[in-house]
Amino acid sequence: MITKVTYLIATILSVKAFPQNIQLLSQLPSDPIEQPDSWAWGRHPKEGFGYKARNSLTLEQCIDNPETAGTVHCDGYDYSYPVELCISMPRLAPLKVCADAEFPKDFCVANAVKLIKANGCQSYLTDLCTADVSLAVSSDCAGVKFPASACTSNANFAILDNCKGVEFPASFCTTSVQIALLDNCKDAKLPKEFCVNGDLRMIKAKGCSKFLGDICSQSLELANSADCLPAQKSVSVFRCTRSRDICLSQLCELKVRDKGSCPQ
């Protein structure tokens, strides 16, 4: 009885370790990297048995071959590369194998798009965010405070929330109407010729408030708007009497009380 049991157990183990007397889909490799009993075996209803070696490399293989880092073959291992290797192969820098490396600023900025998430570049995040417009507007740079020099070096940066609170000089505020309307230019003394340039949006520019009468007299719609009520005292008689419509408007009620004197 004991002999029969022993024989049965041996037979089961043998079959479990390696399928016996079956028709394989292809031949076993002559020099397999792992023993077949560790492979995944499966049987297809019509095509017989098939086999597949485990889809992974050893830790030593992963360490010795940096090109395998970040692949499914090595992701399960915990190992690191020296900073020199991470720098020599920028593809590795954002990966887990280089997570503990501290990179120099020049390397981070030169590879800003690739390294925006790299741990070793986080101390230079502002420099990375302002190195490329696509990064500046990305979620990776949300909440990063840009310095005044960066905000005024690129009009695309100036309109971002990253530049809120930065005071722009008048020379930069006159770059465009869009920038002049930003709160960053509220204390800038904008020149009259820029404020009275025919763009009616300038009525909203805080830096143009001292020229409100000149702006409002450019359009009948503006002259009768609530935005121009504060200009009733400052608008000049000359501005009011250049056009009959403007002269009769709400803007000129205080400066031209005798509407009969308005031009015909």
Side-chain angles (χ1 to χ4, degrees):
M1 181 65 179
I2 295 177
T3 302
K4 289 182 178 180
V5 172
T6 302
Y7 175 77
L8 180 59
I9 293 175
T11 301
I12 293 173
L13 291 176
S14 176
V15 172
K16 182 176 181 181
F18 183 76
Q20 302 294 316
N21 300 320
I22 62 173
Q23 183 180 1
L24 296 176
L25 299 180
S26 60
Q27 296 297 315
L28 289 171
S30 60
D31 185 23
I33 61 175
E34 293 180 346
Q35 293 303 310
D37 59 1
S38 68
W39 296 1
W41 292 87
R43 182 165 188 170
H44 191 279
K46 294 182 179 180
E47 299 179 7
F49 277 89
Y51 63 89
K52 182 180 180 182
R54 289 189 300 173
N55 190 22
S56 63
L57 300 175
T58 65
L59 175 58
E60 291 72 19
Q61 288 173 320
C62 291
I63 293 175
D64 294 339
N65 298 278
E67 64 274 8
T68 63
T71 67
V72 294
H73 308 290
C74 298
D75 270 352
Y77 296 121
D78 186 15
Y79 63 102
S80 300
Y81 285 133
V83 64
E84 294 79 14
L85 179 58
C86 296
I87 292 176
S88 66
M89 297 181 67
R91 182 189 74 81
L92 302 178
L95 303 180
K96 183 174 66 173
V97 291
C98 294
D100 297 329
E102 290 293 334
F103 299 125
K105 179 179 178 179
D106 291 346
F107 174 70
C108 292
V109 174
N111 298 278
V113 174
K114 293 182 179 178
L115 301 182
I116 191 69
K117 296 180 183 292
N119 289 341
C121 289
Q122 293 307 296
S123 55
Y124 312 116
L125 188 57
T126 299
D127 299 280
L128 270 67
C129 289
T130 55
D132 188 280
V133 173
S134 64
L135 290 179
V137 299
S138 70
S139 59
D140 294 311
C141 294
V144 176
K145 179 76 172 178
F146 289 180
S149 57
C151 292
T152 56
S153 67
N154 191 315
N156 292 312
F157 293 168
I159 62 176
L160 300 179
D161 287 343
N162 309 66
C163 288
K164 281 187 175 179
V166 175
E167 186 175 337
F168 293 165
S171 58
F172 184 67
C173 291
T174 56
T175 302
S176 70
V177 172
Q178 183 182 22
I179 292 178
L181 293 174
L182 296 175
D183 198 53
N184 309 67
C185 294
K186 65 181 180 180
D187 295 323
K189 295 180 179 180
L190 303 179
K192 180 177 180 179
E193 58 271 21
F194 177 75
C195 294
V196 188
N197 65 358
D199 193 316
L200 303 185
R201 291 178 296 170
M202 296 307 296
I203 193 173
K204 299 290 187 181
K206 295 181 179 179
C208 290
S209 58
K210 64 183 297 184
F211 307 117
L212 189 59
D214 301 278
I215 298 173
C216 291
S217 61
Q218 296 181 91
S219 160
L220 180 60
E221 181 182 358
L222 279 183
N224 285 320
S225 70
D227 290 320
C228 286
L229 284 176
Q232 287 181 331
K233 292 182 179 180
S234 62
V235 66
S236 66
V237 174
F238 171 74
R239 283 285 182 181
C240 284
T241 55
R242 290 181 65 188
S243 162
R244 179 174 177 80
D245 289 337
I246 297 298
C247 185
L248 297 175
S249 71
Q250 173 181 270
L251 174 66
C252 296
E253 283 185 358
L254 299 181
K255 290 302 175 73
V256 184
R257 294 185 180 279
D258 178 12
K259 300 303 180 181
S261 63
C262 289
Q264 297 302 313

